[in-house]
């Protein structure tokens, strides 16, 4: 009887309720940090150029400046004495790849999705989409910049050029194509 009285008095002191559940199960665990994508660049790295007198001298340097961690997930890799590849995730989630290299010509190839779908037959639209992509990349440039190329593509859009065409004062040429997957390929070329 004494034991029953002790149990009854403990229940009364606690309000007759069961003890609260474990607090650890009342909140969801924090989400894991965003992971960077495993890049399989959609273009072949440029063929390393032979080290002759006409080739660019010096190692390639990154064209973009951004953190390697998410959300930008910037990657830069030298692929040869005059070539490199890099990738970057833009603020809207688009992944963009850049290949650079050259010997007698300095070349930059930029590949990434357009902000909005564009038909390959709409040349002014293709050039406007390419200019938008370069403008988005310009926010991540270190000391090189893509804004000038974007302005030149916007200026060229009404003429709807195809193939390789001159930009600005004509020092650089550009070629802009839309792949079967809808991605843009912008090739910039500068003869040395």
């Amino acid at each position: 009887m004494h034991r029953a009285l002790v149990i009854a008095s403990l229940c009364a002191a606690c309000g007759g309720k069961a003890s609260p559940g474990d607090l650890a199960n009342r909140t969801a665990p924090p989400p894991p940090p965003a992971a960077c994508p495993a890049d399989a660049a959609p273009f072949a790295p440029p063929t390393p150029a032979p080290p002759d007198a006409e080739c660019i001298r010096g190692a390639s340097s990154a064209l973009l400046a951004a953190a390697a961690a998410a959300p930008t997930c910037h990657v830069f890799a030298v692929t040869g004495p005059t070539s490199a590849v890099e990738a970057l995730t833009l603020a809207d989630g688009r992944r963009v790849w850049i290949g650079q290299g050259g010997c007698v010509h300095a070349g930059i190839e930029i590949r990434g999705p357009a902000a909005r779908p564009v038909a390959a037959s709409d040349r002014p639209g293709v050039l406007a989409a390419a200019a938008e992509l370069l403008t988005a990349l310009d926010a991540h440039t270190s000391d090189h910049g893509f804004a000038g190329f974007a302005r030149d593509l916007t200026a060229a859009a009404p003429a709807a050029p195809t193939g390789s065409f001159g930009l600005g004062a004509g020092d650089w040429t550009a070629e802009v194509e839309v792949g079967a997957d809808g991605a843009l390929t912008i090739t910039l070329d500068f003869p040395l």
Side-chain angles (χ1 to χ4, degrees), residues 43-107:
F43 52 82
T47 305
D52 65 25
E54 294 187 83
C55 284
I56 301 169
R57 294 294 175 189
S60 297
S61 60
L63 297 175
L64 306 174
T72 52
C73 298
H74 178 237
V75 177
F76 172 76
V78 173
T79 57
T82 64
S83 61
V85 294
E86 66 189 303
L88 177 96
T89 303
L90 297 173
D92 61 8
R94 290 180 288 167
R95 191 80 172 148
V96 181
W97 294 267
I98 299 176
Q100 58 174 302
C103 190
V104 179
H105 287 250

Side-chain angles (χ1 to χ4, degrees), residues 6 12 22 49 113 123 146 158 166 180:
V6 170
D22 183 11
R123 286 304 294 172
F146 290 107

Side-chain angles (χ1 to χ4, degrees), residues 6-177:
V6 170
I7 293 173
S9 65
L10 285 174
C11 285
C14 292
K17 297 180 181 174
S19 63
D22 183 11
L23 293 178
N25 68 1
R26 291 187 182 189
T27 58
C36 289
D39 279 313
F43 52 82
T47 305
D52 65 25
E54 294 187 83
C55 284
I56 301 169
R57 294 294 175 189
S60 297
S61 60
L63 297 175
L64 306 174
T72 52
C73 298
H74 178 237
V75 177
F76 172 76
V78 173
T79 57
T82 64
S83 61
V85 294
E86 66 189 303
L88 177 96
T89 303
L90 297 173
D92 61 8
R94 290 180 288 167
R95 191 80 172 148
V96 181
W97 294 267
I98 299 176
Q100 58 174 302
C103 190
V104 179
H105 287 250
I108 301 171
E109 181 181 280
I110 301 162
R111 189 173 199 293
R116 288 170 295 291
V118 60
S121 59
D122 176 13
R123 286 304 294 172
V126 168
L127 296 180
E132 182 281 328
L133 182 60
L134 291 177
T135 300
L137 275 176
D138 192 62
H140 299 283
T141 56
S142 49
D143 58 350
H144 302 286
F146 290 107
F149 293 123
R151 283 189 301 274
D152 290 347
L153 286 177
T154 299
T162 58
S164 182
F165 56 92
L167 291 180
D171 293 341
W172 284 84
T173 60
E175 190 169 342
V176 181
E177 300 300 328

